[in-house]
PDB file of all heavy atoms in Angstrom:
ATOM      1  N   ARG A 139     -18.347 -35.866-172.597  1.00 95.00           N
ATOM      2  CA  ARG A 139     -18.157 -35.654-174.096  1.00 95.00           C
ATOM      3  C   ARG A 139     -17.397 -36.855-174.802  1.00 95.00           C
ATOM      4  O   ARG A 139     -17.861 -37.288-175.871  1.00 95.00           O
ATOM      5  CB  ARG A 139     -17.390 -34.263-174.266  1.00 95.00           C
ATOM      6  CG  ARG A 139     -17.113 -33.946-175.781  1.00 95.00           C
ATOM      7  CD  ARG A 139     -16.472 -32.672-175.856  1.00 95.00           C
ATOM      8  NE  ARG A 139     -16.220 -32.279-177.330  1.00 95.00           N
ATOM      9  CZ  ARG A 139     -15.509 -31.374-177.734  1.00 95.00           C
ATOM     10  NH1 ARG A 139     -14.827 -30.594-176.873  1.00 95.00           N
ATOM     11  NH2 ARG A 139     -15.380 -31.086-179.042  1.00 95.00           N
ATOM     12  N   ALA A 140     -16.411 -37.381-174.176  1.00 96.00           N
ATOM     13  CA  ALA A 140     -15.670 -38.526-174.669  1.00 96.00           C
ATOM     14  C   ALA A 140     -16.578 -39.729-174.596  1.00 96.00           C
ATOM     15  O   ALA A 140     -16.570 -40.494-175.595  1.00 96.00           O
ATOM     16  CB  ALA A 140     -14.371 -38.738-173.867  1.00 96.00           C
ATOM     17  N   GLN A 141     -17.260 -39.951-173.550  1.00 97.00           N
ATOM     18  CA  GLN A 141     -18.143 -41.048-173.389  1.00 97.00           C
ATOM     19  C   GLN A 141     -19.144 -41.037-174.648  1.00 97.00           C
ATOM     20  O   GLN A 141     -19.362 -42.163-175.214  1.00 97.00           O
ATOM     21  CB  GLN A 141     -19.016 -41.075-172.125  1.00 97.00           C
ATOM     22  CG  GLN A 141     -18.099 -41.308-170.948  1.00 97.00           C
ATOM     23  CD  GLN A 141     -18.984 -41.041-169.685  1.00 97.00           C
ATOM     24  OE1 GLN A 141     -20.083 -41.434-169.492  1.00 97.00           O
ATOM     25  NE2 GLN A 141     -18.439 -40.246-168.775  1.00 97.00           N
ATOM     26  N   ALA A 142     -19.781 -39.962-174.868  1.00 97.00           N
ATOM     27  CA  ALA A 142     -20.712 -39.797-176.049  1.00 97.00           C
ATOM     28  C   ALA A 142     -20.089 -40.203-177.268  1.00 97.00           C
ATOM     29  O   ALA A 142     -20.625 -40.900-178.165  1.00 97.00           O
ATOM     30  CB  ALA A 142     -21.287 -38.436-176.110  1.00 97.00           C
ATOM     31  N   LEU A 143     -18.826 -39.783-177.536  1.00 97.00           N
ATOM     32  CA  LEU A 143     -18.116 -40.038-178.820  1.00 97.00           C
ATOM     33  C   LEU A 143     -17.894 -41.609-178.829  1.00 97.00           C
ATOM     34  O   LEU A 143     -18.180 -42.135-179.894  1.00 97.00           O
ATOM     35  CB  LEU A 143     -16.777 -39.393-178.770  1.00 97.00           C
ATOM     36  CG  LEU A 143     -15.800 -39.849-179.906  1.00 97.00           C
ATOM     37  CD1 LEU A 143     -16.279 -39.548-181.255  1.00 97.00           C
ATOM     38  CD2 LEU A 143     -14.306 -39.224-179.677  1.00 97.00           C
ATOM     39  N   TYR A 144     -17.411 -42.166-177.749  1.00 97.00           N
ATOM     40  CA  TYR A 144     -17.086 -43.633-177.825  1.00 97.00           C
ATOM     41  C   TYR A 144     -18.481 -44.418-178.065  1.00 97.00           C
ATOM     42  O   TYR A 144     -18.436 -45.398-178.806  1.00 97.00           O
ATOM     43  CB  TYR A 144     -16.510 -44.080-176.475  1.00 97.00           C
ATOM     44  CG  TYR A 144     -15.130 -43.361-176.209  1.00 97.00           C
ATOM     45  CD1 TYR A 144     -14.843 -42.991-174.912  1.00 97.00           C
ATOM     46  CD2 TYR A 144     -14.228 -42.940-177.231  1.00 97.00           C
ATOM     47  CE1 TYR A 144     -13.588 -42.407-174.660  1.00 97.00           C
ATOM     48  CE2 TYR A 144     -13.120 -42.284-177.000  1.00 97.00           C
ATOM     49  CZ  TYR A 144     -12.798 -42.047-175.694  1.00 97.00           C
ATOM     50  OH  TYR A 144     -11.605 -41.270-175.370  1.00 97.00           O
ATOM     51  N   GLN A 145     -19.478 -44.061-177.473  1.00 97.00           N
ATOM     52  CA  GLN A 145     -20.760 -44.691-177.660  1.00 97.00           C
ATOM     53  C   GLN A 145     -21.262 -44.529-179.146  1.00 97.00           C
ATOM     54  O   GLN A 145     -21.706 -45.432-179.867  1.00 97.00           O
ATOM     55  CB  GLN A 145     -21.865 -44.079-176.734  1.00 97.00           C
ATOM     56  CG  GLN A 145     -21.690 -44.570-175.335  1.00 97.00           C
ATOM     57  CD  GLN A 145     -22.550 -43.788-174.358  1.00 97.00           C
ATOM     58  OE1 GLN A 145     -23.226 -42.806-174.689  1.00 97.00           O
ATOM     59  NE2 GLN A 145     -22.579 -44.265-173.113  1.00 97.00           N
ATOM     60  N   ARG A 146     -21.040 -43.355-179.711  1.00 97.00           N
ATOM     61  CA  ARG A 146     -21.466 -43.123-181.151  1.00 97.00           C
ATOM     62  C   ARG A 146     -20.671 -44.018-182.049  1.00 97.00           C
ATOM     63  O   ARG A 146     -21.065 -44.463-183.107  1.00 97.00           O
ATOM     64  CB  ARG A 146     -21.209 -41.714-181.617  1.00 97.00           C
ATOM     65  CG  ARG A 146     -22.290 -40.759-181.260  1.00 97.00           C
ATOM     66  CD  ARG A 146     -22.171 -39.343-181.924  1.00 97.00           C
ATOM     67  NE  ARG A 146     -20.858 -38.776-181.908  1.00 97.00           N
ATOM     68  CZ  ARG A 146     -20.506 -37.923-180.920  1.00 97.00           C
ATOM     69  NH1 ARG A 146     -21.259 -37.680-179.860  1.00 97.00           N
ATOM     70  NH2 ARG A 146     -19.281 -37.361-181.025  1.00 97.00           N
ATOM     71  N   LEU A 147     -19.415 -44.409-181.656  1.00 97.00           N
ATOM     72  CA  LEU A 147     -18.477 -45.191-182.415  1.00 97.00           C
ATOM     73  C   LEU A 147     -18.730 -46.751-182.167  1.00 97.00           C
ATOM     74  O   LEU A 147     -18.001 -47.459-182.755  1.00 97.00           O
ATOM     75  CB  LEU A 147     -17.016 -44.785-182.215  1.00 97.00           C
ATOM     76  CG  LEU A 147     -16.708 -43.351-182.691  1.00 97.00           C
ATOM     77  CD1 LEU A 147     -15.348 -43.013-182.299  1.00 97.00           C
ATOM     78  CD2 LEU A 147     -16.861 -43.317-184.293  1.00 97.00           C
ATOM     79  N   GLY A 148     -19.583 -46.997-181.351  1.00 96.00           N
ATOM     80  CA  GLY A 148     -20.001 -48.419-180.970  1.00 96.00           C
ATOM     81  C   GLY A 148     -19.451 -49.014-179.797  1.00 96.00           C
ATOM     82  O   GLY A 148     -19.576 -50.305-179.625  1.00 96.00           O
ATOM     83  N   LEU A 149     -18.766 -48.348-178.915  1.00 97.00           N
ATOM     84  CA  LEU A 149     -18.316 -48.991-177.647  1.00 97.00           C
ATOM     85  C   LEU A 149     -19.418 -48.917-176.593  1.00 97.00           C
ATOM     86  O   LEU A 149     -20.368 -48.002-176.642  1.00 97.00           O
ATOM     87  CB  LEU A 149     -17.099 -48.157-177.132  1.00 97.00           C
ATOM     88  CG  LEU A 149     -15.722 -48.590-177.910  1.00 97.00           C
ATOM     89  CD1 LEU A 149     -15.644 -47.660-179.131  1.00 97.00           C
ATOM     90  CD2 LEU A 149     -14.612 -48.453-177.082  1.00 97.00           C
TER      91      LEU A 149
END
Side-chain angles (χ1 to χ4, degrees):
R139 183 176 180 193
Q141 290 171 48
L143 169 65
Y144 302 144
Q145 288 169 350
R146 280 194 309 274
L147 294 173
L149 283 87

